[in-house]
Amino acid sequence: MEKITLIFLSAIFFFQSCKKQDSKQDYIEITKEKSGTTTKATYKKRRLITSEVFNESGKLDSKYIYNKGTVIKMYQYFPDQKVSSYSYLNKAPNHFTTTIYFRNGKIACEGEGDYFKSKNLYLRRGPWIFYTKSGKPYSIYTFSHDKKKEYIKGEMLFDTIKKKITKDVIYDPPFLYGKKILIL
């Protein structure tokens, strides 16, 4: 009888200790990088749900929202904490729709691209509309990429005063675009 009682009490103790471990499913992990940035990762039920990157001054630089381990939304911020870009997952695993803003809050450009998390690289693809600081569209560039570099396939320029197209060109073959967008 004593053995049964001991086994029963041991089982209760075991299940109680498991219960306490499960209560630690929600937690925050803070990592300081050599570059001076700090990452704050929030977990719920042992799954990463958000990560925030703070610059060396402690201001929010970027934020990522996850669903089942996949980034579904990305935000980048200006130093004054206004959103500088917003991207959301359009098609898993890495195809995003992105809007980039001027400091005045107006849209600077928008389009689609692919985010390669392992390389911390965002490459545009398809048509991107570019706007003036007053919010008027002035060009559309069509991009493609080879998972390493961006290429321009087409270019359409608008005269915002005369409201007419001044240039409409398709490049065959596409040419290498010199700048890359990095989303941290």
Side-chain angles (χ1 to χ4, degrees):
M1 184 74 165
E2 288 178 27
K3 287 183 181 180
I4 294 174
T5 305
L6 184 60
I7 292 171
F8 181 71
L9 289 174
S10 296
I12 289 175
F13 178 74
F14 174 75
F15 288 120
Q16 287 295 335
S17 66
C18 288
K19 202 175 195 182
K20 287 178 186 174
Q21 274 185 328
D22 287 344
S23 68
K24 292 186 179 183
Q25 290 182 13
D26 299 350
Y27 62 96
I28 294 173
E29 183 178 276
I30 297 176
T31 309
K32 188 94 171 163
E33 305 296 328
K34 289 181 182 177
S35 64
T37 62
T38 303
T39 302
K40 176 183 167 186
T42 304
Y43 294 83
K44 291 225 184 226
K45 297 183 181 177
R46 297 187 187 145
R47 285 197 169 163
L48 179 62
I49 58 162
T50 64
S51 64
E52 298 171 313
V53 178
F54 297 87
N55 64 22
E56 48 285 334
S57 303
K59 292 192 175 192
L60 184 61
D61 181 70
S62 54
K63 181 177 183 175
Y64 302 87
I65 298 173
Y66 300 83
N67 183 18
K68 297 179 183 174
T70 301
V71 176
I72 59 168
K73 292 182 185 177
M74 296 183 282
Y75 298 87
Q76 284 190 307
Y77 297 90
F78 289 116
D80 63 4
Q81 303 301 277
K82 289 183 181 177
V83 174
S84 67
S85 71
Y86 167 69
S87 300
Y88 65 90
L89 185 64
N90 192 342
K91 183 177 179 185
N94 66 338
H95 184 75
F96 286 81
T97 298
T98 299
T99 303
I100 299 173
Y101 299 92
F102 289 114
R103 286 186 181 268
N104 67 6
K106 300 246 185 210
I107 295 174
C109 59
E110 58 188 343
E112 295 181 2
D114 295 314
Y115 175 58
F116 300 96
K117 187 176 178 183
S118 63
K119 298 175 188 174
N120 196 29
L121 183 63
Y122 184 91
L123 297 172
R124 295 174 281 195
R125 69 178 192 167
W128 274 69
I129 302 171
F130 292 83
Y131 299 88
T132 63
K133 286 188 176 183
S134 62
K136 294 179 182 176
Y138 71 88
S139 67
I140 297 176
Y141 284 87
T142 304
F143 293 90
S144 65
H145 66 76
D146 61 4
K147 298 183 181 179
K148 295 176 188 171
K149 299 174 186 166
E150 285 181 334
Y151 299 89
I152 294 181
K153 291 173 48 176
E155 175 181 30
M156 182 184 292
L157 302 176
F158 308 117
D159 183 328
T160 57
I161 296 169
K162 295 179 181 176
K163 297 183 180 178
K164 69 177 195 172
I165 296 172
T166 59
K167 183 177 185 181
D168 190 3
V169 180
I170 295 174
Y171 300 105
D172 190 17
F175 68 89
L176 182 63
Y177 181 70
K179 297 179 183 177
K180 294 180 181 98
I181 296 179
L182 292 177
I183 298 185
L184 303 176

